Amino acid sequence: MTGAPAAGDRLVTLATWLASGGWSAAALLAVLAVGLLAALLLPGAVLLLPLALVGNVAGIGLLALEPGPRTVLRSLGLAVVLLAPLLVVGGAGLLGPALLFAWLPGLLAGFALRSARSLPLAVLVLTVLAVAVVLVVDQTGLPAGQPETRQALVDALVKLNPKLPAAELDLALDVMLQLAGGLLAVVLLGAWTGGLCLGRSLQARLRRPGAFAQEFRALRFGRAYSLLVLGAIVVALLQRLAGGGLAVELALVLAVPLLLQGLALVHAETARRGWWQRLPWMMYVLLVLATPQLASLLVLLGLVDNWLDFRNRPLR
């Protein structure tokens, strides 16, 4: 008697179908694109936007990793053909830019990982794209929005903490708007990196199960990158005191890879030292609940790891 296939088996089937390229891959990419468009248009569905972005980047990343450039470009062309009706009826104004933010990062990071076989390099490619987002937003600005939009943001903050006074709400909102480009880039970078990791994990299931776990546990960005981030943080602190915002936004984005290194170190030490296996996943939950505090700690952990190399220190 056979039951329903396990979730892992379904993922392998999905990855095999996508990696075959052609119309099957194009159909799946089109479905993912429609999901991304729905997250942008449907009321309340915007909360699912990061997940939709992760799915699209994972699909493109897997295609870039497995079949290669010619197959992925052909599949993308076929996907555009399937999406043509949406473009004709007026979806081009929103769907086109959305797919640019989903497909281009997946392609570039996937090709980088395929050619150099370096997960840190692929993450740095995505980080460069996120920095470009910050610079573009800084030059062009984001729409100021209507008073109704600002009130909606205030209402959202009230729901998070009903005891916050109005003055603190306005201050928090002003900070969010001032750092809007950096916060947008951080969210995009997180979704892009999650998509890349998911795509690489699916590809590893096809070729060498467990390979991605080893790659992620070994994730390190080196001392040179740590010095770059430290310099960005120092400049951000100095410029922030002078009322500037761009340096702070850039520092936020550049710190994300070190946050990932901190998470990778937690995964590696848990496996190496035989700690509680659910500890890394508890870290992800805490990262959502206490983002500023735990994110700062993980960034610091990543920084220090580039000098002390905790993963190669002898066990006691």
Side-chain angles (χ1 to χ4, degrees), residues 98-290:
L99 291 181
L100 177 65
F101 277 90
W103 287 2
L104 181 62
L107 280 175
L108 295 180
F111 288 156
L113 184 54
R114 176 186 173 90
S115 60
R117 300 182 182 276
S118 170
L119 184 60
L121 176 62
V123 173
L124 290 178
V125 168
L126 296 176
T127 305
V128 170
L129 290 178
V131 168
V133 170
V134 174
L135 297 177
V136 169
V137 172
D138 181 69
Q139 292 298 317
T140 61
L142 290 175
Q146 302 298 323
E148 294 81 3
T149 304
R150 185 181 181 94
Q151 186 59 45
L153 291 173
V154 171
D155 293 341
L157 292 173
V158 170
K159 289 181 180 179
L160 291 176
N161 190 346
K163 297 181 179 180
L164 278 177
E168 291 190 16
L169 286 176
D170 287 336
L171 179 60
L173 187 56
D174 288 339
V175 172
M176 290 174 61
L177 292 176
Q178 184 181 10
L179 302 179
L183 296 176
L184 172 63
V186 167
V187 172
L188 288 174
L189 181 54
W192 292 342
T193 305
L196 173 67
C197 290
L198 177 58
R200 171 64 185 120
S201 176
L202 290 174
Q203 190 223 10
R205 287 174 179 267
L206 298 177
R207 295 297 184 184
R208 190 160 61 94
F212 172 71
Q214 296 176 1
E215 293 171 8
F216 185 74
R217 290 171 186 164
L219 185 66
R220 296 181 78 239
F221 291 93
R223 296 180 179 180
Y225 188 78
S226 292
L227 291 174
L228 173 65
V229 175
L230 284 173
I233 292 174
V234 170
V235 173
L237 291 174
L238 295 176
Q239 188 174 356
R240 184 61 178 168
L241 293 176
L246 177 60
V248 178
E249 297 174 69
L250 292 175
L252 286 173
V253 172
L254 293 175
V256 172
L258 292 180
L259 185 152
L260 294 174
Q261 182 173 335
L263 286 172
L265 179 60
V266 173
H267 279 275
E269 290 299 286
T270 298
R272 192 168 76 107
R273 298 179 181 273
W275 292 343
W276 183 42
Q277 293 184 355
R278 297 185 185 275
L279 175 61
W281 306 110
M282 287 295 298
M283 296 291 290
Y284 288 100
V285 174
L286 293 174
L287 189 57
V288 173
L289 298 177

